[in-house]
Amino acid sequence: MIFDHDHFMDYALREANAAFDENEVPVGAVVVLDNRIIGRGHNRTEALKDATAHAEMLAITSAAEHVGDWRLDNAILYSTIEPCAMCAGAAVLSRIRTIVYGGIDPRFGACGTLFNIPVDPRLIHRIEIIGGIREPEAVELMQTFFRKVRKHKEG
């Protein structure tokens, strides 16, 4: 089966823009199964006062509710930025098949940058990783957000 990663990353970018509009770090995620979006989320850590309210976590939870099971076999997680250790771990535990992300995260990335949790042979499940999809847009959104934050702090 051929997957249109650009198409589904567009939906993740829409979620990231929603986070931006809510003054959250602009990361968005969607979970796709059988070529349909079954879960979506964007960062809500500030709004929910919850360190676990990352886009990927919310999208995985939404997808699990949709299918009625915590196992998301054959699902693809799209995230605008490389998932952190918590989100990569949640993807492994939920049996996600593939993680597709936009930009790398040099500070927290756990899908090849700092760690590589999804392919660690010590874990019971391994995940295919595809990076760099719509990377310029994802990175630009993050840079714009953090410029705005710095300008606000200076002003």
Side-chain angles (χ1 to χ4, degrees):
M1 178 177 259
I2 296 172
F3 297 96
D4 186 350
H5 295 313
D6 283 342
H7 172 75
F8 289 114
M9 187 60 78
D10 186 60
Y11 286 94
L13 284 162
R14 291 179 195 184
E15 290 292 326
N17 277 292
F20 184 95
D21 292 343
E22 295 170 15
N23 293 314
E24 298 274 359
V25 174
V27 178
V30 296
V31 176
V32 174
L33 181 64
D34 297 328
N35 237 13
R36 287 186 12 249
I37 294 173
I38 61 166
R40 52 180 83 228
H42 58 270
N43 274 0
R44 306 228 39 240
T45 55
E46 297 297 334
L48 299 176
K49 307 291 186 239
D50 180 355
T52 68
H54 288 196
E56 300 92 338
M57 299 293 284
L58 298 174
I60 289 169
T61 299
S62 174
E65 289 173 4
H66 178 85
V67 299
D69 193 353
W70 60 269
R71 294 170 194 86
L72 298 173
D73 298 314
N74 298 313
I76 301 172
L77 171 64
Y78 290 85
S79 179
T80 56
I81 298 296
E82 178 183 4
C84 70
M86 173 181 67
C87 296
V92 168
L93 292 172
S94 62
R95 310 299 194 264
I96 294 281
R97 186 185 76 216
T98 305
I99 294 173
V100 178
Y101 69 86
I104 66 166
D105 186 345
R107 293 181 63 210
F108 298 104
C111 293
T113 300
L114 291 179
F115 307 103
N116 208 348
I117 291 170
V119 297
D120 190 313
R122 297 169 292 182
L123 300 176
I124 193 167
H125 177 74
R126 276 165 286 303
I127 299 174
E128 174 187 27
I129 301 169
I130 301 169
I133 305 297
R134 308 278 296 267
E135 180 177 17
E137 294 159 86
V139 169
E140 176 60 30
L141 187 58
M142 291 287 278
Q143 290 172 341
T144 300
F145 176 79
F146 285 110
R147 274 195 300 271
K148 183 177 101 170
V149 167
R150 283 191 298 277
K151 184 177 179 182
H152 180 73
K153 285 182 180 180
E154 292 169 0

